[in-house]
């Protein structure tokens, strides 16, 4: 298995590309760094409707033999909407978060080592200040299982079957055994 050495850095962008495919009418859909709040929305001048995908934490999920590890990456899709002709910001945000909640469980990223989605949750980030700006701000969070290190290729095993006849069996009679299918 060949894993991307930059998987943690590129994962938000890879997810955003999938989201853009599901929701092609978004004005903005991209990977970003960190959590999004009102000040960041204003600073970035984000065109709405928008989905901003961010990674904000990683932890070891499972230690396997070898030692190899699987990790859980905490991700969020921040949804930013504004009132539009015939569609208010809250309805638009709910429509986008619903699409994310129904599509993310089946997320398939075209990168080795990216596994299943778990703990999918919707969160309101609406505050008095957000309301004053005339936007809706929501987040859909989840955990993404990933492998950050490749597992080594298994060594090929060449089975050999030996037969012995009692009473000439056991370690003391190793030379009396016969290889089935030929000589060693």
């Amino acid at each position: 298995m060949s894993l991307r050495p930059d998987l943690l850095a590129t994962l938000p962008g890879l997810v955003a590309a999938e989201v853009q495919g599901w929701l092609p009418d978004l004005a903005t859909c991209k990977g970003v760094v960190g959590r999004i709040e009102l000040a960041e929305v204003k600073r970035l001048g984000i065109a709405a409707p928008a989905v901003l995908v961010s990674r904000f934490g990683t932890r070891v999920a499972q230690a396997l033999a070898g030692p190899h590890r699987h990790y859980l990456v905490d991700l969020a899709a921040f949804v930013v909407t504004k009132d539009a002709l015939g569609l208010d910001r809250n309805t638009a945000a709910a429509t986008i978060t619903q699409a994310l909640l129904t599509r993310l469980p089946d997320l398939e990223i075209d990168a080795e080592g990216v596994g299943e989605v778990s703990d999918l949750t919707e969160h309101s980030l609406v505050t008095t200040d957000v309301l004053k700006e005339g936007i809706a701000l929501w987040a859909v969070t989840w955990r993404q299982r990933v492998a950050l290190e490749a597992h080594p290729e298994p060594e090929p095993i060449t089975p050999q079957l030996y037969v012995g006849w009692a009473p000439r069996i056991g370690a003391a009679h190793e030379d009396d055994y016969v290889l089935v299918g030929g000589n060693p």
Side-chain angles (χ1 to χ4, degrees):
M1 174 180 355
S2 176
L3 298 178
R4 292 180 68 137
D6 63 347
L7 182 60
L8 287 181
T10 60
L11 189 57
L14 295 170
V15 173
E18 291 295 315
V19 171
Q20 185 72 66
W22 303 335
L23 302 168
D25 294 331
L26 292 173
T28 306
C29 188
K30 63 182 180 177
V32 296
V33 176
R35 296 178 192 267
I36 299 295
E37 48 191 41
L38 180 59
E40 190 69 2
V41 170
K42 289 170 67 175
R43 187 185 72 76
L44 293 174
I46 296 166
V51 173
L52 307 170
V53 180
S54 180
R55 176 182 67 84
F56 56 92
T58 304
R59 70 180 71 52
V60 174
Q62 183 179 22
L64 306 172
H68 301 289
R69 292 169 191 84
H70 285 174
Y71 298 84
L72 287 176
V73 178
D74 293 321
L75 292 162
F78 294 95
V79 176
V80 181
T81 59
K82 294 181 180 178
D83 289 329
L85 189 60
L87 183 64
D88 77 0
R89 63 185 175 250
N90 296 311
T91 302
T95 302
I96 293 169
T97 61
Q98 181 174 333
L100 294 171
L101 289 167
T102 58
R103 290 291 196 78
L104 282 169
D106 301 317
L107 178 66
E108 290 189 27
I109 300 294
D110 188 22
E112 288 287 335
V114 179
E116 73 277 356
V117 167
S118 64
D119 301 324
L120 190 60
T121 309
E122 177 193 44
H123 308 271
S124 172
L125 303 177
V126 176
T127 63
T128 303
D129 290 337
V130 168
L131 291 173
K132 286 179 188 174
E133 289 296 322
I135 63 173
L137 184 57
W138 287 76
V140 174
T141 61
W142 70 97
R143 292 190 172 126
Q144 186 85 47
R145 184 175 290 271
V146 299
L148 298 177
E149 299 169 320
H151 297 235
E153 293 296 321
E155 296 288 327
I157 299 172
T158 307
Q160 295 180 334
L161 177 62
Y162 288 86
V163 177
W165 289 269
R168 297 172 54 188
I169 58 173
H173 297 282
E174 234 176 68
D175 293 338
D176 296 331
Y177 282 74
V178 176
L179 176 64
V180 175
N183 293 330

